[in-house]
Amino acid sequence: AIVNALYCKRWGHGFLPCVLSQEDMQCICQGRHFAWAKISLLTWLFTPSHCDQRVRSVFNASIGEHVRGDFMRSCDYVVWIDGDAMVLDHDVCLERYVGGEASDKALVVAEDMSYSDWVNTGVMFIRTDSSWAQELWAATWSNAPVRFHHAPFWDQSGLCAELGARQEFTPGVLGAVPTRTIPPIRPWFSWQGGSMHKATRHMYIFDSASLQFAN
């Protein structure tokens, strides 16, 4: 978190860390795998009225409703980065990822690094003025197949399932299990010969190496 905070300070971005106790994590995840805390937090940030009162109480105590309101009104994008990820090149500005063909998209992400899900949720750029993006997180929480509450890849697979239901794309794999869909003419993943960058109606998807990588 310190590395990411320093990056945000250098470029003048707001930084909103959220570190919760195990008890609070259990509360906001409501019996699901702790990876779902991400969706719970994003739901509270964008549409707090869709959150259970207990969930709102946890985030109000940890962050504060006034901070949430000021934060959401002051930024064009919420950039989510997983707790086990950090910015490596502090000379690269975030605007690089939301310009050009991505400038009118509500959600900017990268494809997954393995044959697990079509996109990876470790780093996400979410437009704050998009009603589509605002409602996405509560819908992902409510509509996710039950098997993803506890089975890989949890929130990520749940989000991909919701994007498929919204006809944003038709994923050929969910939670590392192939779906019974007609495969695209060209492979989805860049590392299988697919396009390096892909665009849907509301999304822009980078190849995995351009936005993030794992060892």
Side-chain angles (χ1 to χ4, degrees):
I2 293 176
V3 172
N4 296 333
L6 290 172
Y7 173 85
C8 290
K9 182 178 180 180
R10 171 178 177 176
W11 288 98
H13 301 310
F15 183 66
L16 192 66
C18 184
V19 180
L20 302 175
S21 67
Q22 182 173 347
E23 181 180 359
D24 284 344
M25 288 287 287
Q26 290 171 339
C27 178
I28 67 169
C29 291
Q30 300 178 336
R32 302 186 189 191
H33 188 280
F34 279 3
W36 279 95
K38 176 191 311 182
I39 304 300
S40 186
L41 174 58
L42 290 171
T43 300
W44 178 75
L45 285 173
F46 282 94
T47 53
S49 62
H50 291 331
C51 290
D52 181 278
Q53 178 58 49
R54 295 169 297 171
V55 174
R56 290 201 299 270
S57 296
V58 168
F59 289 129
N60 286 341
S62 175
I63 298 173
E65 172 57 29
H66 66 289
V67 174
R68 185 204 71 81
D70 291 345
F71 182 81
M72 296 302 288
R73 285 188 293 269
S74 67
C75 60
D76 297 321
Y77 290 86
V78 168
V79 181
W80 169 271
I81 182 168
D82 276 357
D84 60 352
M86 64 180 180
V87 179
L88 294 180
D89 190 345
H90 287 217
D91 291 330
V92 176
C93 65
L94 294 180
E95 286 79 4
R96 166 180 173 178
Y97 299 102
V98 293
E101 295 180 359
S103 62
D104 65 342
K105 301 302 182 182
L107 178 62
V108 178
V109 293
E111 64 184 15
D112 202 23
M113 293 160 277
S114 66
Y115 191 73
S116 301
D117 288 304
W118 269 19
V119 300
N120 186 281
T121 59
V123 178
M124 299 186 288
F125 295 73
I126 311 160
R127 285 189 69 99
T128 57
D129 64 355
S130 165
S131 59
W132 180 89
Q134 291 165 8
E135 298 293 331
L136 180 60
W137 315 106
T140 296
W141 180 277
S142 298
N143 299 334
V146 174
R147 70 185 177 99
F148 296 135
H149 290 187
H150 297 284
F153 288 89
W154 313 289
D155 63 294
Q156 176 174 285
S157 301
L159 175 61
C160 287
E162 179 63 21
L163 292 170
R166 292 176 173 228
Q167 299 183 335
E168 200 66 27
F169 52 40
T170 306
V173 60
L174 281 173
V177 177
T179 60
R180 297 180 179 180
T181 58
I182 299 175
I185 297 175
R186 186 175 185 182
W188 172 263
F189 297 105
S190 62
W191 41 266
Q192 288 185 326
S195 299
M196 296 292 286
H197 298 167
K198 296 169 275 284
T200 66
R201 181 180 178 187
H202 297 98
M203 299 171 60
Y204 195 80
I205 303 104
F206 284 91
D207 63 287
S208 57
S210 287
L211 191 57
Q212 58 183 316
F213 65 89
N215 57 14

